Amino acid sequence: MNILVTGGAGYIGSHTLIELYKAGHTAVVVDNLSNSNPESLRRVAELAGIEQVPFYKVDIRDREALEKVFSQHKLDACIHFAGLKAVGESVEKPWEYYENNIGGTLVLVDVMRQHGCKNIIFSSSATVYGDPAQIPITEQCPKGTCTNPYGWTKSMLEQVLTDIQHADPSWNVVLLRYFNPVGAHPSGRIGEYPNGIPNNLMPYITQVAVGKRPQLGVFGNDYPTPDGTGVRDYIHVCDLASGHVSALQAIDRCCGLAIYNLGTGQGYSVLDMVHAFERVNHVPIPYTIQPRRAGDIATCYSNPAKAEAELGWKARYGIDDMVRDSWNWQRNNPDGYPC
């Protein structure tokens, strides 16, 4: 297949490109570069052994620019990553998140259908479960009340895509609910380098390790968990990337609408991750305990059995791989990609 990858220069998008090329697919990338760097695509090409990744600097809200991309390429499906993704920022700038994430996706889907491309894999999130009704979380778990505008954009877009598919069964829609992506490509050539203060645990740990930040703040140590810190399902980004390639199988068999959790099924606490990082990489991570953050829940991890049963996909990387590859990327790219 020839796949349009929106947000393909970003963290998960760049890793997915490598898996797409490895599986024999081709790709076209659109990205507005608001939180990514085109150097990632040069390195993807290097790792994939190709001359270059076709790339257009396009904001998916720009209908005219998207139309040109579809006119120049025969596209079979879209893997849709593009969107704003900082939870805290979404609370401060809700209008920007709804306008960008929902407005952009509506434009994208309309252009897709005008060009007869009705296959989409959507980058969703376990945030749609809210405070989950069951642990581990299966796809049958009801969606809950989201705690921030970012989460609501994911939940709302799931509903939008579901409604579109129900109204027009010629669409194939796959909703992939991610748990907590961490790690980097084992080569150390591509990885995560967020703008500003990291919102997620692992980039914060690696920035402490490389000396960019003095210490890690651990939000709460009084949860009903083994060590009192929050438990999450951390998944290696390369496993997550391969999940998107596996999801193309669902489109191949005309799935209509399918939903899959992408996680390991194993919960690790914040301190589990800190101690694993120290043990594997021999780098101390100083931390302080801080008050709980509003909206955080004690425990959240997946039951990924459906993806294994229907797609043959299963996470292969463990916690040691996650922390080793995260550090390999950070220490070899202390300032991220060059400007």
Side-chain angles (χ1 to χ4, degrees):
M1 289 187 180
N2 191 29
I3 314 296
L4 177 70
V5 183
T6 70
Y11 174 46
I12 302 172
S14 58
H15 288 82
T16 299
L17 287 170
I18 291 176
E19 297 298 322
L20 285 169
Y21 285 116
K22 190 189 301 183
H25 300 287
T26 54
V28 176
V29 171
V30 299
D31 197 307
N32 68 1
L33 303 180
S34 64
N35 192 33
S36 56
N37 190 307
E39 172 65 13
S40 67
L41 298 178
R42 192 190 70 76
R43 296 187 185 188
V44 164
E46 169 194 300
L47 292 167
I50 61 173
E51 185 174 340
Q52 65 178 10
V53 178
F55 167 63
Y56 297 85
K57 185 180 179 182
V58 167
D59 189 305
I60 60 171
R61 294 170 293 181
D62 186 340
R63 181 183 296 269
E64 183 178 350
L66 265 185
E67 291 276 5
K68 289 180 180 178
V69 175
F70 275 85
S71 296
Q72 292 176 34
H73 298 272
K74 176 65 178 72
L75 296 164
D76 301 303
C78 173
I79 300 180
H80 179 29
F81 295 109
L84 300 175
K85 64 175 187 176
V87 169
E89 183 183 63
S90 78
V91 175
E92 298 168 2
K93 300 179 178 180
W95 184 89
E96 287 82 355
Y97 270 68
Y98 289 120
E99 192 271 340
N100 184 89
N101 293 7
I102 295 177
T105 301
L106 292 175
V107 172
L108 170 67
V109 169
D110 192 35
V111 173
M112 287 176 65
R113 68 178 178 175
Q114 297 297 332
H115 289 264
C117 178
K118 295 185 176 181
N119 300 308
I120 187 167
I121 296 172
F122 177 57
S123 166
S124 191
S125 167
T127 59
V128 302
Y129 293 115
D131 192 349
Q134 61 189 56
I135 298 288
I137 302 169
T138 70
E139 291 82 355
Q140 285 70 46
C141 182
K143 290 168 67 173
T145 300
C146 297
T147 59
N148 54 76
Y150 162 75
W152 278 119
T153 67
K154 294 297 187 184
S155 185
M156 291 176 180
L157 285 172
E158 283 198 2
Q159 190 63 52
V160 168
L161 294 171
T162 298
D163 291 344
I164 288 170
Q165 197 282 325
H166 285 165
D168 180 358
S170 64
W171 276 89
N172 291 305
V173 172
V174 182
L175 308 176
L176 297 182
R177 294 173 176 170
Y178 308 165
F179 280 72
N180 294 69
V182 297
H185 193 270
S187 66
R189 297 290 288 153
I190 60 173
E192 182 177 20
Y193 195 83
N195 291 338
I197 298 173
N199 288 288
N200 297 322
L201 175 64
M202 189 51 64
Y204 212 112
I205 289 176
T206 59
Q207 288 193 15
V208 171
V210 83
K212 284 190 167 295
R213 304 197 180 276
Q215 61 189 11
L216 171 71
V218 176
F219 298 104
N221 68 342
D222 57 351
Y223 287 104
T225 61
D227 62 20
T229 64
V231 170
R232 297 292 182 270
D233 188 338
Y234 296 95
I235 178 172
H236 196 293
V237 66
C238 291
D239 278 330
L240 190 62
S242 70
H244 292 76
V245 179
S246 296
L248 290 172
Q249 299 173 35
I251 285 176
D252 271 341
R253 65 171 187 266
C254 298
C255 66
L257 173 69
I259 302 171
Y260 298 102
N261 287 336
L262 293 186
T264 65
Q266 170 71 55
Y268 291 107
S269 74
V270 173
L271 293 183
D272 285 336
M273 298 299 285
V274 169
H275 298 325
F277 188 95
E278 293 176 323
R279 173 176 53 79
V280 170
N281 298 314
H282 309 291
V283 179
I285 303 297
Y287 66 86
T288 59
I289 302 299
Q290 299 182 5
R292 293 186 185 188
R293 290 184 300 193
D296 276 356
I297 59 177
T299 301
C300 179
Y301 61 91
S302 71
N303 178 339
K306 183 182 178 185
E308 182 176 5
E310 295 188 8
L311 303 177
W313 174 87
K314 186 176 182 180
R316 298 180 296 115
Y317 293 92
I319 187 172
D320 287 8
D321 304 305
M322 298 176 201
V323 298
R324 181 192 62 243
D325 293 342
S326 295
W327 179 229
N328 188 37
W329 153 256
Q330 181 74 82
R331 70 182 177 187
N332 286 301
N333 303 272
D335 298 313
Y337 296 111
C339 296

